[in-house]
Amino acid sequence: KNEVEQSPQNLTAQEGEFITINCSYSVGISALHWLQQHPGGGIVSLFMLSSGKKKHGRLIATINIQEKHSSLHITASHPRDSAVYICAVRSLGGSNYKLTFGKGTLLTVNP
Amino acid sequence: GAVVSQHPSRVICKSGTSVKIECRSLDFQATTMFWYRQFPKQSLMLMATSNEGSKATYEQGVEKDKFLINHASLTLSTLTVTSAHPEDSSFYICSASSGLDGYTFGSGTRLTVV
């Protein structure tokens, strides 16, 4: 079993829909990251969370440390949101700031 | 915000030759640089971690003599794929950390070995 599990693996939505991507992890962490990877391959860091909730534009990320679970929400989705969304965690006591990645969620937003 | 410039974005090379990929942190000091490899539809696989001025730490199964990493300064790290073979064709991406839990990723390099 992977230390970081994401669901769903694939998600197709219509423009305007509310999107939720989930991430569960099995280890104690110091931080959780949500990343966005576009078809060209480049990766953008969206959020870094250690507790609570963060919001940036139409994106919201939440984390429940006790339940070892995080969600990424996209409100009023748009075709330009189509990308792979990756959850990554840095384990407690982990050396050298090494991240463990989920397998990613491929989001396709249709116009 | 923090930017990591990765070059080249695409490279095609002949089997047996070497290819160098460069990552520069443009506006911060990258104390640690991570090098990843990604196969199609797979997640990122950490190859090695390097700290400025010291030898890289390679993950199990990654050949250090094949994937040479140099992190000579706080703003530059390079990955050289030596004697490349078609099976080395992949997407390589770097990530820099300044040690404050923030990570900045390069834009990636798609390597094709023919």
Side-chain angles (χ1 to χ4, degrees):
Chain A
K1 189 180 190 301
N2 288 338
E3 289 184 353
V4 181
E5 295 278 355
Q6 283 185 239
S7 63
Q9 280 188 300
N10 295 281
L11 181 55
T12 301
Q14 287 300 122
E15 184 173 355
E17 286 185 2
F18 181 82
I19 304 291
T20 296
I21 299 170
N22 295 299
C23 176
S24 296
Y25 52 92
S26 57
V27 296
I29 67 169
S30 61
L32 181 143
H33 297 257
W34 281 103
L35 311 170
Q36 180 191 56
Q37 185 171 30
H38 277 283
I43 292 176
V44 173
S45 181
L46 299 175
F47 295 104
M48 180 178 70
L49 294 163
S50 54
S51 65
K53 176 179 175 178
K54 287 190 176 180
K55 185 176 189 292
H56 185 255
R58 294 180 294 105
L59 301 177
I60 303 166
T62 63
I63 188 168
N64 185 317
I65 296 293
Q66 287 73 32
E67 295 187 3
K68 294 186 167 60
H69 182 269
S70 175
S71 293
L72 175 68
H73 305 285
I74 304 175
T75 61
S77 59
H78 190 276
R80 65 175 174 266
D81 297 326
S82 299
V84 175
Y85 292 84
I86 302 169
C87 171
V89 302
R90 180 187 163 196
S91 302
L92 274 174
S95 62
N96 239 350
Y97 310 100
K98 181 175 161 179
L99 293 176
T100 303
F101 295 85
K103 291 187 176 180
T105 295
L106 174 61
L107 172 65
T108 304
V109 182
N110 295 316
Chain B
V3 175
V4 170
S5 175
Q6 183 171 347
H7 292 281
S9 57
R10 289 180 182 272
V11 58
I12 300 172
C13 71
K14 290 186 177 179
S15 188
T17 61
S18 295
V19 174
K20 181 183 280 189
I21 301 168
E22 188 177 280
C23 275
R24 290 183 183 272
S25 56
L26 298 186
D27 48 6
F28 69 103
Q29 293 185 329
T31 51
T32 305
M33 191 74 80
F34 303 90
W35 286 95
Y36 300 93
R37 184 173 181 175
Q38 186 179 36
F39 292 104
K41 299 189 187 299
Q42 300 290 315
S43 191
L44 297 165
M45 183 188 80
L46 180 65
M47 298 175 67
T49 304
S50 72
N51 292 303
E52 181 263 339
S54 57
K55 288 185 179 179
T57 301
Y58 289 80
E59 295 298 299
Q60 195 171 12
V62 177
E63 298 175 60
K64 62 181 180 182
D65 294 329
K66 181 166 187 62
F67 298 100
L68 300 179
I69 290 171
N70 185 285
H71 193 167
S73 78
L74 285 169
T75 59
L76 175 64
S77 179
T78 60
L79 166 67
T80 301
V81 183
T82 62
S83 187
H85 286 96
E87 58 265 30
D88 298 324
S89 298
S90 190
F91 185 73
Y92 295 86
I93 192 164
C94 65
S95 172
S97 170
S98 61
L100 300 175
D101 260 348
Y103 300 84
T104 304
F105 288 82
S107 53
T109 298
R110 189 159 304 282
L111 170 64
T112 303
V113 184
V114 298

